[in-house]
Amino acid sequence: MATPAKVSKPEGKNNHENADEAADKEQQEAIEQIDEVQNEIDRLNEQASVEILKVEQKYNKLRQPHYSKRSDLIAKIPNFWVTAFVNHPQVSALLSEEDEEALQSLTKVEVQEFEDIKSGYRINFHFDVSNPYFENDVLYKEFHLNDTGEPSSKASPIKWKAGKDLTKKNSQIKGRKRSHEEQESFFSWFGDHLDAGTDELGEVIKDDIWPNPLQYYLASEIEEEGVDEGEEE
Amino acid sequence: MATPAKVSKPEGKNNHENADEAADKEQQEAIEQIDEVQNEIDRLNEQASVEILKVEQKYNKLRQPHYSKRSDLIAKIPNFWVTAFVNHPQVSALLSEEDEEALQSLTKVEVQEFEDIKSGYRINFHFDVSNPYFENDVLYKEFHLNDTGEPSSKASPIKWKAGKDLTKKNSQIKGRKRSHEEQESFFSWFGDHLDAGTDELGEVIKDDIWPNPLQYYLASEIEEEGVDEGEEE
Ligand SMILES: [Ca+2]
Ligand SMILES: [Ca+2]
Ligand SMILES: [Mg+2]
Ligand SMILES: [Mg+2]
């Protein structure tokens, strides 16, 4: 153990040397005992984490058939996912017109939490053959902690069709909704591995959209904002 | 349920009216079925939360005697808490010289998670009679969600001794370590209820210091930064 950074000592050292030594010894013993108590607390914390992980894993399994059934139902609704994304304020801000066009081919989203939940998650995006932008049937992005505990991510390389790479077009191009913002493509996210520890889009999809995408699909109030029906609130 | 914001409809409406109606009906049924599946998922999420809460509560009880023992041991070490706070980078940044002087009388800190953990927590700060700044034996700050689910906080009014109110002194006063920063008093926190949902200091104490204050008490490397011993790293 390191020594404390700052422990105030009585000042008259010569007069009270024995008393000082006794006090120092008592403090040192107290520090060692705190360290032992701390080990007990750490052990309990680890046990608690293990038990909570088991609960999470149990419910992940129980949720799975419902997620499958939900995916089958969502597949019956054209443009379900692009509508949910457009209706989500944070995701919508990332979407160019062309992104939205590409996302019309998005038929299925899957979020997989890994068995050891702390170790990460993966999002699969399934596209159908109508997609005019890229060849991939599935794009994924995956987040995990590597052996040294640092967050990292990997993702599908996108096989863009000729002249269709949305990540290479810049904001001069027309048809972007919000040309006053720095506008990247949604699909740039698949090539961005700098903030794996706090991937905002990944976390929004996993924690906000995935638990209940229907609410965003149905969230027509957001759409009303930009509507030109002459209505003033 | 609301209606979807955007569902693309086939364009030639006259020719395919019956087919359209059938498709609309199938989609509407799918939405209703998704809603039912979603209710099942919500129910499982609630069950998971209840089970996790029980685990948390069980371990909160199991940790309690260790925390008590730790508090008794910490009380044997003069300036334990002020040293731990000074050695914690985020807390240290909030401390003026006078705050540190006042915190030399801080003998005991207690973090209490409420029975329903989601409903909040309370931090008690116990001061001994040597405190020249205020009369209170205990200052507390408490965080909870109110009935409408909004975060709120309350705290002890501080009974300052005459001329000793550290929250009324501004940065012109000498003896502040970091006069180039906007420097408030640590004790201003007890009167700040604007960010109850994301109270940074509360969360640092609860989640970072409280689980292991000894590591900050012993964290002499931080202290070394400002030391004038002529050592260069
Ligand atoms: Ca947009
Ligand atoms: Ca300071
Ligand atoms: Mg679809
Ligand atoms: Mg003490």
Side-chain angles (χ1 to χ4, degrees):
Chain A
M1 283 196 305
T3 48
K6 249 189 173 183
V7 177
S8 72
K9 299 260 166 68
E11 274 165 22
K13 213 172 181 183
N14 291 333
N15 290 342
H16 306 288
E17 207 162 279
N18 288 340
D20 279 4
E21 273 174 24
D24 280 358
K25 190 158 174 276
E26 206 206 6
Q27 285 175 36
Q28 194 52 44
E29 278 171 11
I31 288 171
E32 280 160 23
Q33 287 169 329
I34 293 170
D35 191 50
E36 282 163 27
V37 171
Q38 203 60 59
N39 290 339
E40 282 299 302
I41 293 169
D42 291 348
R43 202 178 51 80
L44 287 170
N45 291 345
E46 275 162 40
Q47 281 180 21
S49 297
V50 168
E51 280 191 38
I52 286 166
L53 185 60
K54 277 185 192 157
V55 174
E56 296 279 17
Q57 287 170 344
K58 180 176 102 179
Y59 280 95
N60 270 351
K61 278 211 184 85
L62 290 171
R63 279 184 285 249
Q64 218 50 61
H66 300 287
Y67 287 145
S68 294
K69 193 175 169 191
R70 193 177 71 181
S71 286
D72 294 344
L73 291 164
I74 285 173
K76 294 183 181 179
I77 302 171
N79 294 320
F80 181 93
W81 284 109
V82 68
T83 305
F85 284 2
V86 165
N87 284 344
H88 190 286
Q90 282 164 278
V91 180
S92 177
L94 303 171
L95 302 179
S96 68
E97 296 279 324
E98 286 166 307
D99 287 337
E100 289 182 28
E101 208 179 300
L103 290 171
Q104 287 181 14
S105 309
L106 175 61
T107 54
K108 186 175 175 180
V109 172
E110 290 171 302
V111 174
Q112 301 172 334
E113 307 246 15
F114 296 146
E115 190 62 3
D116 175 353
I117 285 152
K118 282 183 201 157
S119 72
Y121 63 99
R122 175 183 170 116
I123 309 178
N124 294 320
F125 303 81
H126 296 260
F127 292 85
D128 69 24
V129 290
S130 71
N131 177 6
Y133 286 91
F134 46 82
E135 307 286 353
N136 313 57
D137 297 329
V138 182
L139 298 180
Y140 75 88
K141 191 167 181 181
E142 190 177 301
F143 301 88
H144 52 94
L145 300 180
N146 62 25
D147 294 341
T148 61
E150 274 176 62
S152 69
S153 60
K154 57 181 181 178
S156 310
I158 303 179
K159 295 172 209 150
W160 296 103
K161 295 185 178 177
K164 291 292 200 177
D165 187 341
L166 297 174
T167 68
K168 294 255 168 76
K169 310 196 172 183
N170 62 34
S171 45
Q172 273 86 356
I173 287 172
K174 290 197 174 189
R176 306 265 164 170
K177 273 189 190 167
R178 297 186 179 87
S179 52
H180 58 288
E181 291 173 13
E182 284 176 39
Q183 183 79 303
E184 267 195 313
S185 168
F186 170 86
F187 294 96
S188 304
W189 176 69
F190 292 93
D192 174 11
H193 304 288
L194 295 174
D195 302 308
T198 54
D199 191 290
E200 259 186 75
L201 180 55
E203 283 169 25
V204 162
I205 294 173
K206 175 169 74 75
D207 296 329
D208 200 14
I209 296 179
W210 180 250
N212 190 342
L214 184 61
Q215 68 177 317
Y216 291 106
Y217 176 73
L218 297 174
S220 49
E221 54 268 43
I222 292 156
E223 199 65 12
E224 281 163 13
E225 282 183 351
V227 158
D228 46 8
E229 286 174 5
E231 265 183 26
E232 307 267 302
E233 209 206 344
Chain B
M1 282 198 303
T3 48
K6 249 189 173 182
V7 178
S8 72
K9 297 262 167 66
E11 275 166 22
K13 214 171 178 181
N14 291 334
N15 290 342
H16 305 288
E17 208 161 281
N18 288 340
D20 279 5
E21 272 174 25
D24 280 358
K25 190 157 175 278
E26 205 204 6
Q27 285 176 36
Q28 194 51 45
E29 277 171 11
I31 289 171
E32 279 160 24
Q33 287 169 330
I34 293 169
D35 192 50
E36 281 163 28
V37 172
Q38 203 59 59
N39 290 339
E40 282 301 302
I41 294 169
D42 291 347
R43 202 178 52 82
L44 286 170
N45 291 345
E46 274 162 41
Q47 281 181 21
S49 296
V50 168
E51 280 190 39
I52 287 165
L53 185 61
K54 277 185 191 157
V55 175
E56 296 278 17
Q57 287 171 344
K58 180 176 101 180
Y59 282 93
N60 269 351
K61 277 211 183 86
L62 289 171
R63 280 184 284 250
Q64 218 49 62
H66 301 286
Y67 287 145
S68 294
K69 194 176 168 191
R70 192 178 72 181
S71 286
D72 293 346
L73 292 163
I74 285 174
K76 294 182 180 180
I77 302 171
N79 294 320
F80 181 93
W81 284 110
V82 68
T83 305
F85 284 3
V86 165
N87 284 343
H88 190 287
Q90 282 164 276
V91 180
S92 177
L94 302 171
L95 301 178
S96 67
E97 296 279 324
E98 287 166 308
D99 287 336
E100 289 182 29
E101 209 178 300
L103 290 170
Q104 287 180 14
S105 309
L106 175 61
T107 54
K108 186 175 175 179
V109 173
E110 291 171 299
V111 174
Q112 302 173 333
E113 307 245 16
F114 296 146
E115 191 62 3
D116 174 352
I117 284 151
K118 281 184 201 154
S119 71
Y121 62 100
R122 176 184 170 115
I123 309 177
N124 294 320
F125 303 80
H126 297 259
F127 293 84
D128 69 23
V129 290
S130 70
N131 177 6
Y133 287 91
F134 46 81
E135 306 288 353
N136 313 56
D137 297 329
V138 183
L139 297 180
Y140 75 88
K141 191 167 181 180
E142 189 177 302
F143 302 87
H144 52 92
L145 300 181
N146 62 25
D147 295 341
T148 61
E150 275 176 63
S152 68
S153 61
K154 56 182 182 177
S156 310
I158 304 179
K159 294 172 209 150
W160 296 101
K161 294 184 179 177
K164 290 293 200 177
D165 186 342
L166 297 174
T167 68
K168 294 256 169 75
K169 310 196 172 184
N170 64 32
S171 45
Q172 272 87 356
I173 286 171
K174 289 197 174 188
R176 305 264 165 172
K177 274 189 187 166
R178 298 186 178 87
S179 52
H180 58 288
E181 292 172 12
E182 284 177 39
Q183 183 79 302
E184 266 196 314
S185 168
F186 170 86
F187 294 96
S188 303
W189 176 68
F190 292 93
D192 174 12
H193 303 289
L194 295 175
D195 302 309
T198 55
D199 190 290
E200 260 186 75
L201 179 55
E203 283 169 24
V204 161
I205 294 173
K206 175 169 73 76
D207 297 328
D208 199 14
I209 296 180
W210 180 250
N212 190 343
L214 184 62
Q215 67 176 317
Y216 291 106
Y217 176 72
L218 296 173
S220 49
E221 55 267 43
I222 291 156
E223 198 65 11
E224 279 163 16
E225 282 183 350
V227 159
D228 47 7
E229 285 172 4
E231 264 182 28
E232 307 267 302
E233 208 206 347

mmCIF file of all heavy atoms in Angstrom, chain B residues 150-175:
data_model
loop_
_atom_site.group_PDB
_atom_site.id
_atom_site.type_symbol
_atom_site.label_atom_id
_atom_site.label_comp_id
_atom_site.label_asym_id
_atom_site.label_seq_id
_atom_site.Cartn_x
_atom_site.Cartn_y
_atom_site.Cartn_z
ATOM 1 N N GLU B 150 -39.788 13.305 -11.613
ATOM 2 C CA GLU B 150 -38.711 14.279 -11.837
ATOM 3 C C GLU B 150 -37.711 14.279 -10.695
ATOM 4 O O GLU B 150 -38.097 14.168 -9.526
ATOM 5 C CB GLU B 150 -39.306 15.684 -11.994
ATOM 6 C CG GLU B 150 -39.738 15.970 -13.413
ATOM 7 C CD GLU B 150 -40.407 17.318 -13.510
ATOM 8 O OE1 GLU B 150 -39.746 18.331 -13.233
ATOM 9 O OE2 GLU B 150 -41.604 17.354 -13.851
ATOM 10 N N PRO B 151 -36.427 14.410 -11.026
ATOM 11 C CA PRO B 151 -35.424 14.425 -9.968
ATOM 12 C C PRO B 151 -35.497 15.715 -9.160
ATOM 13 O O PRO B 151 -35.733 16.786 -9.719
ATOM 14 C CB PRO B 151 -34.102 14.346 -10.732
ATOM 15 C CG PRO B 151 -34.403 14.812 -12.101
ATOM 16 C CD PRO B 151 -35.846 14.554 -12.364
ATOM 17 N N SER B 152 -35.319 15.586 -7.853
ATOM 18 C CA SER B 152 -35.218 16.796 -7.041
ATOM 19 C C SER B 152 -34.255 16.508 -5.893
ATOM 20 O O SER B 152 -33.888 15.369 -5.645
ATOM 21 C CB SER B 152 -36.582 17.230 -6.510
ATOM 22 O OG SER B 152 -37.048 16.299 -5.569
ATOM 23 N N SER B 153 -33.828 17.560 -5.231
ATOM 24 C CA SER B 153 -32.892 17.381 -4.125
ATOM 25 C C SER B 153 -33.255 18.333 -3.000
ATOM 26 O O SER B 153 -33.927 19.339 -3.208
ATOM 27 C CB SER B 153 -31.447 17.638 -4.587
ATOM 28 O OG SER B 153 -31.288 18.952 -5.056
ATOM 29 N N LYS B 154 -32.861 17.953 -1.787
ATOM 30 C CA LYS B 154 -32.946 18.896 -0.682
ATOM 31 C C LYS B 154 -31.704 18.736 0.174
ATOM 32 O O LYS B 154 -30.982 17.732 0.043
ATOM 33 C CB LYS B 154 -34.224 18.703 0.130
ATOM 34 C CG LYS B 154 -34.435 17.311 0.681
ATOM 35 C CD LYS B 154 -35.779 17.229 1.425
ATOM 36 C CE LYS B 154 -35.967 15.836 2.026
ATOM 37 N NZ LYS B 154 -37.208 15.731 2.802
ATOM 38 N N ALA B 155 -31.447 19.722 1.027
ATOM 39 C CA ALA B 155 -30.200 19.691 1.787
ATOM 40 C C ALA B 155 -30.343 20.529 3.046
ATOM 41 O O ALA B 155 -31.283 21.324 3.181
ATOM 42 C CB ALA B 155 -29.048 20.214 0.947
ATOM 43 N N SER B 156 -29.400 20.340 3.968
ATOM 44 C CA SER B 156 -29.368 21.126 5.195
ATOM 45 C C SER B 156 -29.147 22.592 4.890
ATOM 46 O O SER B 156 -28.250 22.926 4.124
ATOM 47 C CB SER B 156 -28.184 20.716 6.078
ATOM 48 O OG SER B 156 -28.116 19.344 6.260
ATOM 49 N N PRO B 157 -29.903 23.474 5.540
ATOM 50 C CA PRO B 157 -29.457 24.873 5.562
ATOM 51 C C PRO B 157 -28.227 24.934 6.478
ATOM 52 O O PRO B 157 -28.203 24.285 7.525
ATOM 53 C CB PRO B 157 -30.637 25.618 6.198
ATOM 54 C CG PRO B 157 -31.711 24.601 6.443
ATOM 55 C CD PRO B 157 -31.101 23.244 6.344
ATOM 56 N N ILE B 158 -27.198 25.637 6.051
ATOM 57 C CA ILE B 158 -25.975 25.709 6.861
ATOM 58 C C ILE B 158 -26.066 26.894 7.815
ATOM 59 O O ILE B 158 -26.362 28.016 7.404
ATOM 60 C CB ILE B 158 -24.733 25.825 5.950
ATOM 61 C CG1 ILE B 158 -24.701 24.651 4.957
ATOM 62 C CG2 ILE B 158 -23.453 25.869 6.783
ATOM 63 C CD1 ILE B 158 -23.533 24.676 3.983
ATOM 64 N N LYS B 159 -25.844 26.605 9.100
ATOM 65 C CA LYS B 159 -25.859 27.683 10.106
ATOM 66 C C LYS B 159 -24.448 28.228 10.259
ATOM 67 O O LYS B 159 -23.679 27.813 11.139
ATOM 68 C CB LYS B 159 -26.362 27.140 11.454
ATOM 69 C CG LYS B 159 -27.830 26.706 11.441
ATOM 70 C CD LYS B 159 -28.199 26.005 12.746
ATOM 71 C CE LYS B 159 -29.307 24.980 12.556
ATOM 72 N NZ LYS B 159 -29.210 23.856 13.510
ATOM 73 N N TRP B 160 -24.105 29.190 9.398
ATOM 74 C CA TRP B 160 -22.756 29.752 9.405
ATOM 75 C C TRP B 160 -22.500 30.553 10.676
ATOM 76 O O TRP B 160 -23.384 31.253 11.160
ATOM 77 C CB TRP B 160 -22.566 30.660 8.187
ATOM 78 C CG TRP B 160 -22.639 29.927 6.880
ATOM 79 C CD1 TRP B 160 -23.705 29.888 6.027
ATOM 80 C CD2 TRP B 160 -21.620 29.105 6.298
ATOM 81 N NE1 TRP B 160 -23.423 29.095 4.941
ATOM 82 C CE2 TRP B 160 -22.132 28.598 5.075
ATOM 83 C CE3 TRP B 160 -20.320 28.744 6.669
ATOM 84 C CZ2 TRP B 160 -21.416 27.754 4.237
ATOM 85 C CZ3 TRP B 160 -19.599 27.906 5.839
ATOM 86 C CH2 TRP B 160 -20.139 27.419 4.638
ATOM 87 N N LYS B 161 -21.313 30.470 11.190
ATOM 88 C CA LYS B 161 -20.908 31.374 12.271
ATOM 89 C C LYS B 161 -20.690 32.782 11.690
ATOM 90 O O LYS B 161 -20.528 32.941 10.473
ATOM 91 C CB LYS B 161 -19.642 30.834 12.940
ATOM 92 C CG LYS B 161 -19.917 29.500 13.660
ATOM 93 C CD LYS B 161 -18.732 28.958 14.424
ATOM 94 C CE LYS B 161 -19.153 27.645 15.119
ATOM 95 N NZ LYS B 161 -18.039 26.999 15.839
ATOM 96 N N ALA B 162 -20.686 33.781 12.570
ATOM 97 C CA ALA B 162 -20.629 35.178 12.108
ATOM 98 C C ALA B 162 -19.422 35.435 11.209
ATOM 99 O O ALA B 162 -18.286 35.113 11.566
ATOM 100 C CB ALA B 162 -20.597 36.128 13.311
ATOM 101 N N GLY B 163 -19.684 35.973 10.016
ATOM 102 C CA GLY B 163 -18.608 36.322 9.079
ATOM 103 C C GLY B 163 -17.927 35.138 8.426
ATOM 104 O O GLY B 163 -16.904 35.281 7.766
ATOM 105 N N LYS B 164 -18.490 33.923 8.610
ATOM 106 C CA LYS B 164 -17.814 32.716 8.132
ATOM 107 C C LYS B 164 -18.489 32.062 6.914
ATOM 108 O O LYS B 164 -18.070 30.985 6.492
ATOM 109 C CB LYS B 164 -17.760 31.683 9.278
ATOM 110 C CG LYS B 164 -16.815 32.071 10.412
ATOM 111 C CD LYS B 164 -15.370 32.059 9.938
ATOM 112 C CE LYS B 164 -14.394 31.958 11.108
ATOM 113 N NZ LYS B 164 -13.001 31.870 10.619
ATOM 114 N N ASP B 165 -19.518 32.694 6.386
ATOM 115 C CA ASP B 165 -20.271 32.057 5.288
ATOM 116 C C ASP B 165 -19.408 31.959 4.027
ATOM 117 O O ASP B 165 -19.194 32.946 3.319
ATOM 118 C CB ASP B 165 -21.560 32.858 5.020
ATOM 119 C CG ASP B 165 -22.454 32.169 3.998
ATOM 120 O OD1 ASP B 165 -21.969 31.299 3.253
ATOM 121 O OD2 ASP B 165 -23.652 32.509 3.958
ATOM 122 N N LEU B 166 -18.908 30.776 3.731
ATOM 123 C CA LEU B 166 -17.992 30.581 2.590
ATOM 124 C C LEU B 166 -18.706 30.718 1.247
ATOM 125 O O LEU B 166 -18.052 30.942 0.223
ATOM 126 C CB LEU B 166 -17.317 29.199 2.688
ATOM 127 C CG LEU B 166 -16.420 29.001 3.912
ATOM 128 C CD1 LEU B 166 -15.926 27.558 3.992
ATOM 129 C CD2 LEU B 166 -15.229 29.962 3.874
ATOM 130 N N THR B 167 -20.023 30.574 1.240
ATOM 131 C CA THR B 167 -20.759 30.685 -0.026
ATOM 132 C C THR B 167 -21.011 32.138 -0.403
ATOM 133 O O THR B 167 -21.427 32.419 -1.524
ATOM 134 C CB THR B 167 -22.117 29.953 0.031
ATOM 135 O OG1 THR B 167 -22.990 30.648 0.939
ATOM 136 C CG2 THR B 167 -21.949 28.520 0.501
ATOM 137 N N LYS B 168 -20.758 33.065 0.529
ATOM 138 C CA LYS B 168 -20.992 34.486 0.248
ATOM 139 C C LYS B 168 -19.712 35.193 -0.145
ATOM 140 O O LYS B 168 -19.712 36.339 -0.541
ATOM 141 C CB LYS B 168 -21.596 35.185 1.490
ATOM 142 C CG LYS B 168 -22.989 34.705 1.841
ATOM 143 C CD LYS B 168 -24.064 35.712 1.418
ATOM 144 C CE LYS B 168 -25.462 35.128 1.511
ATOM 145 N NZ LYS B 168 -25.923 35.044 2.921
ATOM 146 N N LYS B 169 -18.576 34.526 0.035
ATOM 147 C CA LYS B 169 -17.308 35.150 -0.345
ATOM 148 C C LYS B 169 -17.090 34.887 -1.823
ATOM 149 O O LYS B 169 -17.344 33.793 -2.318
ATOM 150 C CB LYS B 169 -16.168 34.521 0.474
ATOM 151 C CG LYS B 169 -16.516 34.515 1.954
ATOM 152 C CD LYS B 169 -15.312 34.269 2.813
ATOM 153 C CE LYS B 169 -15.721 34.489 4.283
ATOM 154 N NZ LYS B 169 -14.604 34.361 5.215
ATOM 155 N N ASN B 170 -16.597 35.870 -2.548
ATOM 156 C CA ASN B 170 -16.397 35.611 -3.974
ATOM 157 C C ASN B 170 -14.914 35.506 -4.311
ATOM 158 O O ASN B 170 -14.040 35.530 -3.448
ATOM 159 C CB ASN B 170 -17.123 36.626 -4.834
ATOM 160 C CG ASN B 170 -16.566 38.018 -4.627
ATOM 161 O OD1 ASN B 170 -15.385 38.183 -4.367
ATOM 162 N ND2 ASN B 170 -17.423 39.013 -4.725
ATOM 163 N N SER B 171 -14.630 35.377 -5.579
ATOM 164 C CA SER B 171 -13.279 34.984 -5.975
ATOM 165 C C SER B 171 -12.237 36.088 -5.804
ATOM 166 O O SER B 171 -11.055 35.860 -6.023
ATOM 167 C CB SER B 171 -13.303 34.475 -7.416
ATOM 168 O OG SER B 171 -14.070 35.341 -8.218
ATOM 169 N N GLN B 172 -12.646 37.314 -5.401
ATOM 170 C CA GLN B 172 -11.650 38.346 -5.093
ATOM 171 C C GLN B 172 -10.830 37.969 -3.859
ATOM 172 O O GLN B 172 -9.675 38.366 -3.719
ATOM 173 C CB GLN B 172 -12.325 39.704 -4.820
ATOM 174 C CG GLN B 172 -12.556 40.549 -6.063
ATOM 175 C CD GLN B 172 -13.874 40.203 -6.719
ATOM 176 O OE1 GLN B 172 -14.571 39.293 -6.279
ATOM 177 N NE2 GLN B 172 -14.218 40.915 -7.783
ATOM 178 N N ILE B 173 -11.460 37.180 -2.964
ATOM 179 C CA ILE B 173 -10.806 36.850 -1.705
ATOM 180 C C ILE B 173 -9.525 36.048 -1.919
ATOM 181 O O ILE B 173 -9.455 35.184 -2.777
ATOM 182 C CB ILE B 173 -11.794 36.078 -0.803
ATOM 183 C CG1 ILE B 173 -12.840 37.066 -0.261
ATOM 184 C CG2 ILE B 173 -11.095 35.371 0.331
ATOM 185 C CD1 ILE B 173 -13.973 36.391 0.454
ATOM 186 N N LYS B 174 -8.535 36.335 -1.115
ATOM 187 C CA LYS B 174 -7.263 35.620 -1.221
ATOM 188 C C LYS B 174 -7.372 34.215 -0.637
ATOM 189 O O LYS B 174 -8.318 33.882 0.054
ATOM 190 C CB LYS B 174 -6.183 36.388 -0.455
ATOM 191 C CG LYS B 174 -5.784 37.672 -1.140
ATOM 192 C CD LYS B 174 -4.469 38.173 -0.598
ATOM 193 C CE LYS B 174 -4.021 39.399 -1.408
ATOM 194 N NZ LYS B 174 -2.669 39.800 -1.054
ATOM 195 N N GLY B 175 -6.352 33.420 -0.908
ATOM 196 C CA GLY B 175 -6.300 32.102 -0.288
ATOM 197 C C GLY B 175 -7.006 31.050 -1.098
ATOM 198 O O GLY B 175 -7.145 29.923 -0.666
#
